[in-house]
Every structure is written in structure tokens, then in C-alpha cells.
Amino acid sequence: METFLPGPLLRPAAWVQVLVDAPARERTYTYRLADGMTAAGGDVVCVPFGSQLVGGIVLGCLDQLPTGLDPGRLKTVESVVGTGLFAPGFWPLLVRVADYYLVPLARVIETALPPGILSRARRRVRLVADAAPMAQWGLSAAAKSAFDFLRSQAHADFSWRFCVQRLSGGASSLRELQARRLIESYYVFGETARPRTQQFVVLAGANADLCGRSAAVVQCLRRLGGEVSVAQLLAEARTTRALLQKLHAGGHVRIYERQILRLAAPTATADRPKPLTDAQKRVLDRLQGAAPSPVLLEGVTGSGKTEVYLQAIAPVLDRGESALVLVPEIGLTPQLTDRFAARFGARVRVYHSALSEGERFDCWRQMLTGEAQVVIGTRSAVFAPLPKLGLIVLDEEHDGSYKQDRPAPCYHARTVALWRGELAGCPVLLGSATPDLESFDCATAGRYLHLEMPERVAGRPLPAVEVVDMREELNRGNFSPFSATLQRAVAEMHGAGRQGILFINRRGYSTFVLCRNCGEALRCPHCAVSLTYHRLEAGDYLRCHYCNHGAPQPRACPHCTSPNLRYFGAGTQRIAAQLGEQFPTLRVLRFDRDTTARKDAHRQILEQFGRGEADVLVGTQMLTKGLDLPQVTLVGILAADGLLNLPDFRAGERAFQLLTQVAGRAGRGSEPGRVILQTYAPEHPVVEAASIHDFRRYAAAELTQRQALGYPPFVQLVALQLSAAEQESVVEAAEALARRLDGSADFEGRLLGPAPCTVERVAGRYRWQLLIKNPNGEAGRASLRALLAQFVPCAGVTVAVDVDPLRLL
DNA sequence: TCCTCTGAAACC
DNA sequence: GTTTCAGAGGAT
């Protein structure tokens, strides 16, 4: 890790470390600063890189050269193109993330910045006004004609790209002209993103003389009101762009560009603060008076946490400060975003990684200028550059999607949010009905302010949970996934015209397909898992839920050619189908990753359900994330066992959260709710605690066990995952790394493994894992950082470091 | 022995 | 992204 100078300097720094906008982003480069030039971390600069000039971000200043770098090879920063890309106090946050998660700062910046910030630093070319006349002597023919072309233009300023494409000799001519000081090249930082436009068509002329397709298209346009977007007309009139162009040329219609708002602030009907319950009032009072420390708000499902967030944010905005609201997944909570927009109007922005590059860029700038005062976003929005941050809210703070586990840095948005609050001096409000045990431990130990809302709003009771022993169902000869109790409950619910939710832990139709002749299961060719069977309109399909590999369902077993294939296990598709068979009048909707893949599909399905166009929603974990559906009275959990028995020390905690959250979807309206929890292990402590809504008892038991076994939150875990295409190289590298850790005098942590990951092969790569228990905090991470910096794995092996891993797979 | 092609590595 | 470099293979 590079060390950068802290604070302001007496003497301006001579060198800067730069993250360049080139494909080779793994490394950073050192540049000299020209005399009188100053730069700070976060500035956008233009630097020579190889033969070209590229944009880059200054990571930090150096007052001495890194060892082993030949001063003769150093180049000088061309210009400082932009400053103030980050809110005050933002840079130390990024440095802290890099330090803690053992990743290069460059990686953190890439994660934090909206993509394309650097590519928006555009290279331009201009004619030098007072160029020496003799500079043209002896130019190559291509360069001469290029120069003449540039001079013949009305203006003297061009984009580099235009020049390369348009001029004879392209880039080499430009370099030649630049060397002669006939032109100069410079960079501009994209101050304003181009406004987005859309093509519109409007009727023009009488159009009496048209016939055939033309007449039909004009007729359609007239029906649509005479003026629509080109895209809409193309779709509605089922016509082609060519025909529209012909009509345009003939003067029958006019096509023009209209500016559209890329960041239309979510609009909704205005909403006023709701009257508060006593518990909500107490919480808000404590929040106002509290010092800026983290707050854990433990409020049961349906206790009105959202209203607390809204009313806690209002005074922050009144003070002219901004608020950041983090949610696990933006698509899953359209109701929440709508409510924020309704309450705070145009000051609200939504920021997440599914936005387009342009949308993220625009939103980023609006945050910096203070135009956006409330930002609702997912994990990556924890880096939103809001100045004057007055409050950070993390809704459903226990949710695992706050942890990034794919590309480094594997940061946890909750951890980063807490640091942000500390650096900005603002409170961080963590809300959940089932707090993460680490947060809960901090709260009970007094490190966080612990506030509670133990009752639902309007005196509504928590739903009664009936545990059904599925072993007895089997004994009675019921082989269906629905117990007799659940069947009766569904019939009753349907009869009363109410709605229900069925939770199943798997999507697809069957979880695996087995040959009854040879006993082989159909497996993914790239991963060490079986394929899931999906029924699609286009035909039956097998899909790998790890790498998304897909194949048509074979008619016969690929191992022994027997046609005797059998489908095991039930996913959402099969449950929905069986439910339909059993209750023919029941209207069933599916809510899982397959049915919500389309943009805005979450909202559509939820709205459809909300309008009462379906009676039952069958879905996966997606159902657990904060849905507020007041008409739902019945919740069925088909098999709790799949959750309880995962090979992970957090399996119990996650199962408890999931069961409590699904159960919490019932009885949120005026009618009381009812939950039916089916399991083969009714005596399991997680099932028992969840069935009586007793988070405290479960948490206490689980924490005692964690302490005894030396697991988080009592010990820090660091997972090192190695992967490669060949099994031998991963094993070899993993063992080499383990020897290195064991043999090191500095390293005091405990090493578990190396061992293959639970699913050893994914997408054609073998994965092995080392787990480190680090009881020494920062000191332990520091020695690990040093060890990892020295460790060079054999060719083709990549090492991923995950500090505080959430899933041990 | 020199030249050309090609893929990989470096670019501060 | 461009440029450079090293090694293979081929022509002289």
C-alpha cells in the first residue's frame, strides 16, 4: 500500500501517484508535477501514457520517489483538468475502505466513482494561433493536407476523435503537427453531460393524397394524438423507420429531436407526515437529542419504520443538509421510493448500479451541487458524494446484499456507512426487525444507541405462527408439498376473498433431474452442481444457478440413454403449477428472479397483486425484503429446512431473519394475519424462536454459541479464495499460501484450511479457500496485508481477499 | 544471417 | 489504446 502525505504541505509535493484511464488499471503510475503545479487526491489530471495522453485520477501526493523507480523514466503531468469531484471528507473514506479491505485504493475509486467519469475527460485539439510560419516546411504530405483542412474550417477547436477520423494520416499526422507546434492538444472535463434527446413525429400537411401503408401510418399517428415519439409510432403502427423518413421527406410528417429529462425525479402525489404512535414519537425524540452516534432501531415488522425515517429526515433537510437512504435492492421496494418521492418531491434521487452511465454521471453531479438532497440507493450509493450529510439511514440493515462479494473491494455498505457517519459527524440509523447479530451485539454493549418499537402500528398484532410437522404429514400419506393445514388455510383465505403469500426457497421447477436407470443427476458441465429444471413457453430447459449455463432438457439420460428421467425437489414454478391444479379458481403470480428479470417487472407484479388481480404470490427470498401488502392475511412457508441446514455458521441467523421477515408480510392491514410454517424439524431452536417472534431469545443463544466457538462478532474472519482453471495449480497455490501464513512470525491469527469451497468448481474454475481468524484487529490485517503483498501465486491462479466474509462458500 | 510475423507485456 | 519486445519461423 502506498503511503500518502497527510494534510497540507509546507512545500508543494513534487510527485503524484495517478490512476490512469487505460486498460491496465491494476497498477498506478508516478508523475512529476510541473513547477508551480499543485494537485490533491481526487483531482482529474491529463498525463502522458506511452505514446498517448490519457485522463487519470490523482491518488495522492508523494514527497519522495518510490524505491526502484528510475527518475529518468518519469514524465510530467500535462494539466490538472478537474478538481472537486469528491465531497469534502470523501477521500479519507476511500483510503479507509482500501486499508481495511486489503485492496488497492485504485479499486475502491473505481467502485465509488460513477463509471465513465474519466472517459468524460475528453481530448481536444486546437490550432495554435501564433504558430511559426516556417514550422510548415518539410511536413509530410498527409500532415500538410490535414493541417490545410483544419485551417479551412470555420472554427479552430476540434475533438481529437473527429480529427483522427477525418484527417489524412490520422493520429500520426496529428502527432507531427503537434511536434511542430502547429496544433496543441488538451483535455476538458465533461462539465455538463449532453442533454438526452428523443425523436418525435408530428403531423404536417393535409395528407389527403396518401394511400396504402403510408395512409395507415398517418392514420395511426392521428389516432395517437398527432404527436408521439418515433419509437412509439414504430411500435404502434408496426412500420419502419424508412417509411417514416419517406413521409418526412414528402412533408406529410415532421420528425424532430426533443430534449427529455434523463433523471426525471420520481413523481407521485404529495404525501403528508402521518400521525405517530407513541413508540415512533419516543424514537424520534431520542434521535433529535442524541449525539451523532450509530443508532440501532429494532422495530418489529409493520411497526412503521419508514415513517420514522421520513420524519427523521425532514428536519435534516430543513437545516439545509442532505440525507442518504440505503436499501438492499431498489427494485424490490418501489413503494418505499414512491413514498420518499411523495414526501420530499424533486429533492429525491435514486442511485444504483442499474442506472445507465449517463444517468449515474448526471446524478453524481447533482449530488455535488446540492440539487439532490435525499438519495435513495443500494450498496454502491454509500459512496454518493452528498455534501453536508446530515443523516444516513440503512433500512433492513441485516440484509446480506449490503456486502459485495464478487469483485474486490468486498466492502460492507453498513461498515462503510458507519465510517462515513463518523467522518461526516452525522448519525447513522440502522433499522431492522431482525438486526444482524453484530449490530445487535454493539447495541446491547452500549456502543450504539439502542431504540425499540416492539409493536405494530394501530395496535395490530403480529401474526400467529402455526408450526406444521411435515413428518406427520408423510405418515398420514400426504406426499404433496402442502400440508392439510395449509390446504385448509388457502381454501379459507380464497373463500373470504383475501390474498396470500407462499414462500419457497428455490426458483425453477425442479431442483435436480435424476436418471432412474443409472442414478446419475444432470450436472452443469462448468460447475460442481446439478442443473435446475425450468419450464418455459419455448420448451423445457435446464439451467445452472451458479454460472447461468443453459441447455434444453434432454429426452434421455446423457450417460446411459435411458428415457427414465425423474424430477426431484420443488421450486416456485412447480409450486405455482401444483397450487393451480389443486385450486383451479385460484389466480397465482410468481415473484422470483425469473419473473422479475425485465426492467420494472417488480413493480408491475406487485401492482398487479395490489390491485387484486391475483390471489396468491409464490416467491423466493425476494418476498422477504420489506414488501408492504396490506391485503395479505395468509403466509405459507413451504419448507423451512432448506434454510436451516446450510454449511455456514450463519445459517441459523439467516434462517431466523428469513422466517421472521416472511411471516411479517402477514396481517399488515386491518385483518389479522396467519402464518403456517412447514418443517421436518419443528423442535429446531430457530423454528421455535421464529414462531413466537422472539428475536431476543434467539440472539442471546446464538451469541453465546458464537463466543464459545470463536466466530464473529467475537473474532474477525478473513477469507482468501484462490481459483484457477486447473485443479492442481489451485491446490498447490493454496498450500503454498498456507505454509507462508503458518511460517510467518508476524502472523498471529488462526488458519483454517486450505479446503475446497462448498461448490468446488464454478464456471469452469476450481476454487479453494483459506479462512483466517484474526483476533488482533488492525494489527492482524496489517501483517496479512504485508504477507499478501509478497505472495506471488503460480501462473493462472487468482487470489481474492474477503475481509468479514458473509457467506462461507 | 537477416527479416517478418505474432502474441505478450509495458506504458511512470 | 499503442508501442515495444522477444521468440518463432522463414527466406536469402
Side-chain angles (χ1 to χ4, degrees), chain A residues 477-762:
Chain A
N478 176 11
F479 298 104
S480 107
F482 314 113
S483 62
T485 316
L486 183 58
Q487 290 177 28
R488 270 197 309 277
V490 170
E492 233 168 73
M493 171 211 85
H494 191 36
R498 307 210 187 284
Q499 289 179 305
I501 281 178
L502 289 191
F503 169 78
I504 173 90
N505 199 24
R506 298 240 184 282
R507 66 195 165 94
Y509 193 89
S510 290
T511 43
F512 64 100
V513 182
L514 192 79
C515 171
R516 285 218 243 187
N517 185 46
C518 68
E520 291 278 350
L522 300 183
R523 306 182 74 82
C524 173
H526 313 294
C527 308
V529 292
S530 50
L531 293 164
T532 303
Y533 172 66
H534 288 249
R535 281 196 179 165
L536 304 178
E537 279 171 32
D540 294 353
Y541 218 68
L542 294 172
R543 190 162 285 291
C544 171
H545 284 190
Y546 276 76
C547 73
N548 212 27
H549 164 86
Q553 161 72 12
R555 281 160 199 274
C557 170
H559 304 284
C560 70
T561 70
S562 156
N564 205 353
L565 294 173
R566 198 173 153 191
Y567 306 93
F568 284 89
T572 44
Q573 268 191 322
R574 185 177 204 159
I575 295 300
Q578 293 191 351
L579 202 59
E581 281 164 28
Q582 202 149 358
F583 300 94
T585 58
L586 201 69
R587 295 160 304 167
V588 180
L589 269 181
R590 235 169 359 113
F591 191 65
D592 57 27
R593 243 201 2 251
D594 297 318
T595 58
T596 56
R598 269 175 310 128
K599 199 178 178 184
D600 226 29
H602 292 106
R603 183 187 287 267
Q604 284 168 19
I605 294 178
L606 291 178
E607 281 176 358
Q608 211 178 335
F609 190 68
R611 284 193 302 267
E613 289 167 24
D615 307 303
V616 173
L617 204 56
V618 174
T620 56
Q621 2 265 43
M622 274 191 180
L623 292 170
T624 63
K625 306 198 178 187
L627 299 185
D628 191 12
L629 304 163
Q631 327 83 326
V632 169
T633 55
L634 176 67
V635 164
I637 296 160
L638 289 176
D641 308 85
L643 307 168
L644 299 169
N645 301 312
L646 297 169
D648 187 324
F649 75 91
R650 263 186 267 253
E653 180 182 4
R654 225 167 291 133
F656 182 87
Q657 289 165 350
L658 220 52
L659 295 178
T660 307
Q661 295 289 350
V662 192
R665 299 314 110 200
R668 296 172 76 96
S670 47
E671 294 297 316
R674 179 180 179 192
V675 179
I676 292 163
L677 197 167
Q678 304 187 155
T679 176
Y680 290 89
E683 65 291 334
H684 195 292
V686 166
V687 172
E688 280 187 351
S691 67
I692 54 168
H693 307 289
D694 193 348
F695 171 74
R696 292 298 174 89
R697 189 167 80 170
Y698 173 71
E702 179 73 31
L703 281 170
T704 312
Q705 203 178 6
R706 295 260 183 104
Q707 186 153 31
L709 296 173
Y711 274 118
F714 304 99
V715 173
Q716 174 172 56
L717 292 181
V718 180
L720 305 176
Q721 195 186 79
L722 297 93
S723 68
E726 279 87 43
Q727 194 175 24
E728 304 81 63
S729 28
V730 195
V731 178
E732 194 183 313
E735 279 166 358
L737 184 53
R739 279 196 300 276
R740 228 8 203 290
L741 290 165
D742 267 337
S744 157
D746 301 334
F747 180 71
E748 289 170 41
R750 233 191 101 209
L751 182 65
L752 306 175
C757 296
T758 312
V759 178
E760 190 185 358
R761 199 164 69 111
V762 169

